[in-house]
Amino acid sequence: MAAHKHYTGLITRYRDRLPISDDTRIISLNEGNTPMIKLENIPRLIGKDVTIYVKFEGLNPTGSFKDRGMTMAVTKAVEDGSQAIICASTGNTSASAAAYAARAGIKAFVLIPEGKIALGKLAQTLMYDAKIIQIQGNFDQGMEIVKQIVEHAPVTIVNSINPFRLEGQKTASFEIIDDLGTAPDYHCLPVGNAGNISAYWKGYKEYSISTENHPAVTNKRPVMCGYQAAGAAPFVAGHMIDNPETVATAIRIGRPQSWDFAWAAQKESGGWFNKFSDDEILAAQKLLSQHEGIFCEPASATSLAGALHDLKHGNIPEGSTIVCTLTGNGIKDPDIAIKQCADAKPITIEASLDAVKRAILDSI
Ligand code: F0G
């Protein structure tokens, strides 16, 4: 009988392009290998001849793209003998760190801004049994504390300032090129701490370099478009900001750690940054759910809000192939979703055939 081969995660798949040795114990939850879904209805609705794919990173094991970086960061932390990891987080990094720590059998400490992380992310992080430390401050303040704490406690930082995080995350670009056979013309991403846009750009650049077991794949590179929430848009302002504010709590960040890398991605790719209001972000989130059946979290929809804006204003020409990364799953933030649909409340009726029949005929 032929050996049964199943997908075992991005480190195994792209091992020759990652800093992993043969005897490294790999901490994996079979992350990566996420679908590229071609939008079928939205291009028609906006009347544009364009090909838009969404890379649905919300289908990773903990529901966000963070798992790509975390499998690498935790694998390397364990290889290094670390017994505990730490991160500051707006929610997704903490959930991912907690899950991979559980898998590895080590401890996770997470610093989160009190009252500012989505309910699903809190629930996950509790279930994975991390030590949750809520601070009376925002992500940027948490990040500053985490950077200092490593001098005082035996913990490994697994925020994206840990270079292994970007190593793992760059594999998303490899997958896109493997799927499309080449890079897209434009790549649209939400930008918060700016690790992800930096990692994608690294991945696109590296896939034109041959490795021992893996030939160079393409020289083509996309234009990188980084989109922020209007109240948390330091790249659009051109400087770090205090007191960032947005409904998209995942990207409620004013002092991005990968500042220089992200500017390099923008400049080298001929791309740009732009910002969108909370209303525009939520409208894109709803559009995607209603017309494509794809439910991402608010921050993730910023990539589509940006792509649609830049198509409308001619910054992205018709005929282009665009990839929008949907960074996290919509189920993570039930509060915002339910609030958005306040006018579509479920109806309650008696439990009879007649009542249900009337309810259906009334809405046809
Ligand atoms: N989208 C989601 C859903 C996120 O959780 C984040 C970042 C981003 C986009 C932005 O990515 O920071 O690489 O520019 N979340 C971090 C966290 C900050 O703590 O979960 P970035």
Side-chain angles (χ1 to χ4, degrees):
M1 225 169 76
H4 179 65
K5 274 183 91 174
H6 66 282
Y7 181 77
T8 51
L10 59 87
I11 294 181
T12 314
R13 179 168 177 188
Y14 295 112
R15 146 173 240 135
D16 62 333
R17 292 181 177 275
L18 295 167
I20 290 286
S21 70
D22 284 348
D23 40 8
T24 303
R25 175 187 163 209
I26 296 171
I27 312 298
S28 170
L29 289 165
N30 296 21
E31 57 294 309
N33 200 24
T34 55
M36 286 268 278
I37 308 169
K38 188 173 172 179
L39 300 189
E40 291 184 346
N41 301 315
I42 290 176
R44 184 167 36 79
L45 282 171
I46 61 170
K48 295 282 182 189
D49 173 20
V50 65
T51 304
I52 307 175
Y53 291 94
V54 293
K55 176 111 176 113
F56 196 13
E57 291 285 279
L59 295 181
N60 273 297
T62 77
S64 86
F65 73 96
K66 304 289 179 180
D67 296 343
R68 288 184 187 276
M70 209 53 74
T71 183
M72 274 299 297
V74 175
T75 291
K76 295 304 274 189
V78 168
E79 183 177 64
D80 205 34
S82 178
Q83 292 294 317
I85 57 175
I86 190 164
C87 64
S89 180
T90 56
N92 280 325
T93 303
S94 59
S96 186
Y100 284 81
R103 185 78 161 169
I106 62 172
K107 190 136 190 77
F109 296 93
V110 306
L111 259 71
I112 55 172
E114 186 189 20
K116 291 292 182 181
I117 83 165
L119 198 61
K121 301 174 189 178
L122 189 60
Q124 292 180 281
T125 310
L126 285 165
M127 283 301 286
Y128 296 134
D129 202 22
K131 178 74 189 167
I132 301 180
I133 304 165
Q134 296 202 83
I135 57 165
Q136 293 161 333
N138 62 26
F139 170 84
D140 300 310
Q141 292 165 296
M143 196 64 240
E144 280 314 308
I145 297 167
V146 164
K147 284 200 284 186
Q148 291 167 37
I149 204 79
V150 292
E151 310 282 327
H152 304 273
V155 288
T156 304
I157 301 187
V158 295
N159 281 104
S160 53
I161 56 172
N162 175 330
F164 298 120
R165 279 279 311 277
L166 300 198
E167 288 298 310
Q169 283 171 216
K170 76 185 181 186
T171 60
S173 298
F174 300 167
E175 288 178 14
I176 290 167
I177 292 170
D178 286 345
D179 276 352
L180 296 180
T182 184
D185 300 316
Y186 295 85
H187 192 122
C188 304
L189 282 158
V191 174
N193 211 21
N196 212 28
I197 193 168
S198 307
Y200 269 93
W201 185 237
K202 188 174 200 299
Y204 280 124
K205 289 199 292 188
E206 286 183 10
Y207 230 30
S208 60
I209 304 167
S210 290
T211 59
E212 206 178 317
N213 305 313
H214 201 145
V217 179
T218 181
N219 274 317
K220 182 174 169 185
R221 290 166 195 176
V223 172
M224 303 297 289
C225 307
Y227 300 129
Q228 303 208 279
F235 286 103
V236 180
H239 55 79
M240 307 274 184
I241 61 160
D242 292 324
N243 307 317
E245 221 29 276
T246 169
V247 71
T249 51
I251 50 172
R252 187 172 167 270
I253 295 174
R255 301 183 163 272
Q257 296 298 312
S258 293
W259 182 256
D260 294 338
F261 285 146
W263 280 113
Q266 176 265 320
K267 290 198 180 90
E268 291 170 24
S269 74
W272 57 83
F273 295 107
N274 206 343
K275 61 179 181 181
F276 298 94
S277 68
D278 284 357
D279 284 349
E280 289 170 292
I281 292 169
L282 293 178
Q285 185 198 20
K286 199 157 185 186
L287 188 76
L288 196 55
S289 303
Q290 283 186 325
H291 294 287
E292 301 285 356
I294 301 167
F295 183 25
C296 67
E297 65 171 288
S300 310
T302 312
S303 60
L304 182 68
L308 297 183
H309 173 275
D310 281 328
L311 275 164
K312 186 171 168 188
H313 294 273
N315 304 327
I316 298 179
E318 287 199 59
S320 300
T321 298
I322 305 170
V323 173
C324 294
T325 299
L326 300 181
T327 45
N329 199 302
I331 301 170
K332 281 176 173 274
D333 199 341
D335 291 326
I336 299 297
I338 290 168
K339 236 185 253 168
Q340 272 230 70
C341 302
D343 55 351
K345 275 217 181 75
I347 54 165
T348 305
I349 54 169
E350 73 180 37
S352 74
L353 175 64
D354 203 45
V356 174
K357 185 174 119 189
R358 247 181 294 126
I360 292 171
L361 295 180
D362 280 354
S363 26
I364 282 178

